Amino acid sequence: MDDGGRKRVAIACQGGGSHTAFTAGVLQGVLRQLPGDVNLAALTGTSGGAICAALAWDGLVRGNPQQGIDKLERFWRATAASDPLDKLVNSALMTMQGLRDLMVLPEVSPYQLPPWGEDRFRAMLADFFDFEELRLLARAPGAPLLRIGAVEVLSGHFELFGGEEFCVEVLLASAAIPELFRAVAVPGRGVYWDGLFSQNPPIDDLIDRQIDELWIVQINSSTCAGVPTETHEILDRRNALSGNLSMEQELSFIERLNRAIAEGKIDSRYRPIKVSRISLDRELGYRSKLDRRPEFLDELREFGNTKARWFLREREAASVGAFVAPPEVRATP
């Protein structure tokens, strides 16, 4: 592929509910300061990461990165619990999650409740995307790729949806957390749950896309400070580890592939892929993935912007051997 001497880069975005406000900030920072040696060739994502990836891709596929930046801003403003009723609902949900940790609440199936949240989310997504137009733009030669992950409930197969089949059901499917939302039927494909149960984020498909660099926006921490002992700590750590499982397996494969390329043991059509992580690196707890307080989301998004700026400076400095100090990390209350 002729990229004018630029590096072909893919960005893969992990899912993680409200924590993916951090992903929005990272993508905004990258789009604002995209290096001249980079061709942003693909965006992939799962769950909230899929929505952020799609909003950024919307601008890229139109040749207007600023539109992606603006849409990421507006989406998370719209997501925040800002009006009095929404604040009350958000507070009640967080309280319920805390009580559930103590196992004092009965389990309630989303099929036993009216689908108000799903209907509101569907309408919100329809306001942000012109799905028909985007499907046409995705077919244009040289258009950046979009890949969204979900799992088919009945077969258990991991599925990827591309820009050519982009629709509201695909985004809903990738974000359909089973405890909160009903399974989503994608026309002609099947019935789906959250992509967190499949590839988080989708990586494997990128190996054949002739990319030079893979930038992963990582939400779930790979490490923790100590052995969890409280019930909620154990659940938090279990969720982080399970959320990283597919990612670590696919990155291990890329590492082996790079080694085989270096040793001349593999088909020359493959390129070595440099993997970088832009990580949230905060132990915020699983419950806060449902927290939509405006100040919480704004702080995560700003931190994502900071991490993106630092990452791009570090990447540029690496080519000349310079040192870049990491950004200051503030604790979230």
Side-chain angles (χ1 to χ4, degrees):
M1 297 182 181
D2 182 11
D3 296 286
R6 294 178 298 165
K7 300 286 187 182
R8 287 177 59 80
V9 171
I11 301 179
C13 305
Q14 263 197 339
S18 293
H19 293 181
T20 49
F22 169 81
T23 303
V26 170
L27 293 174
Q28 286 180 309
V30 167
L31 292 178
R32 285 192 184 102
Q33 302 180 48
L34 193 63
D37 69 332
V38 165
N39 172 19
L40 189 46
L43 285 159
T44 76
T46 292
S47 196
I51 294 171
C52 289
L55 290 164
W57 175 78
D58 189 321
L60 283 175
V61 79
R62 299 175 190 277
N64 184 3
Q66 185 60 47
Q67 179 168 310
I69 294 169
D70 294 341
K71 281 198 170 187
L72 285 161
E73 181 92 14
R74 290 193 292 110
F75 177 84
W76 284 98
R77 296 287 185 198
T79 299
S82 300
D83 63 71
L85 178 59
D86 211 7
K87 287 181 179 179
L88 182 63
V89 170
N90 185 66
S91 178
L93 179 61
M94 297 307 297
T95 299
M96 289 174 62
Q97 288 299 312
L99 293 174
R100 180 172 292 177
D101 287 347
L102 298 174
M103 294 180 286
V104 296
L105 281 181
E107 294 292 335
V108 178
S109 165
Y111 292 87
Q112 298 172 317
L113 300 172
W116 293 325
E118 299 162 50
D119 293 343
R120 177 182 176 184
F121 195 27
R122 178 186 289 269
M124 182 178 169
L125 291 172
D127 284 341
F128 275 88
F129 295 102
D130 184 334
F131 292 101
E132 183 176 357
E133 182 180 13
L134 287 168
R135 287 194 296 270
L136 291 174
L137 290 171
R139 295 183 174 93
L145 294 169
L146 177 69
R147 294 290 183 266
I148 292 173
V151 64
E152 210 285 320
V153 178
L154 302 181
S155 68
H157 290 163
F158 301 164
E159 300 283 355
L160 287 179
F161 297 92
E164 302 83 358
E165 50 193 338
F166 189 51
C167 61
V168 68
E169 287 82 10
V170 165
L171 286 177
L172 288 171
S174 186
I177 302 171
E179 296 90 344
L180 298 178
F181 298 108
R182 304 178 187 198
V184 177
V186 177
R189 292 293 293 270
V191 182
Y192 292 87
W193 268 344
D194 197 328
L196 295 174
F197 295 101
S198 56
Q199 294 171 293
N200 186 27
I203 293 173
D204 183 66
D205 183 62
L206 298 171
I207 293 172
D208 292 320
R209 302 294 172 175
Q210 300 266 297
I211 64 170
D212 300 291
E213 296 185 33
L214 172 62
W215 302 351
I216 296 175
V217 185
Q218 183 174 348
I219 299 299
N220 297 312
S221 178
S222 294
T223 62
C224 66
V227 176
T229 56
E230 299 293 333
T231 301
H232 70 277
E233 295 173 339
I234 294 169
L235 291 174
D236 287 346
R237 188 59 186 150
R238 185 194 68 180
N239 286 318
L241 291 173
S242 60
N244 285 340
L245 182 60
S246 66
M247 180 187 73
E248 296 297 350
Q249 289 175 334
E250 293 185 35
L251 292 182
S252 178
F253 177 75
I254 289 178
E255 183 180 345
R256 294 196 303 272
L257 179 66
N258 286 345
R259 190 160 54 244
I261 292 171
E263 295 170 355
K265 296 179 179 179
I266 200 165
D267 193 325
S268 60
R269 68 189 174 94
Y270 289 104
R271 301 186 187 186
I273 300 172
K274 180 182 179 182
V275 177
S276 302
R277 306 191 195 206
I278 308 173
S279 302
L280 177 57
D281 283 335
R282 293 187 182 182
E283 295 184 15
L284 298 175
Y286 181 78
R287 273 179 289 167
S288 63
K289 289 185 177 182
L290 302 176
D291 189 356
R292 295 183 296 114
R293 287 177 297 124
E295 60 273 19
F296 179 59
L297 300 181
D298 285 348
E299 198 260 341
L300 283 175
R301 195 159 42 80
E302 183 53 41
F303 185 51
N305 265 282
T306 300
K307 289 293 287 271
R309 290 194 298 269
W310 169 66
F311 168 75
L312 293 175
R313 288 199 303 269
E314 184 184 55
R315 180 181 179 274
E316 181 181 9
S319 63
V320 294
F323 171 75
V324 178
E328 180 181 355
V329 178
R330 295 185 293 109
T332 301

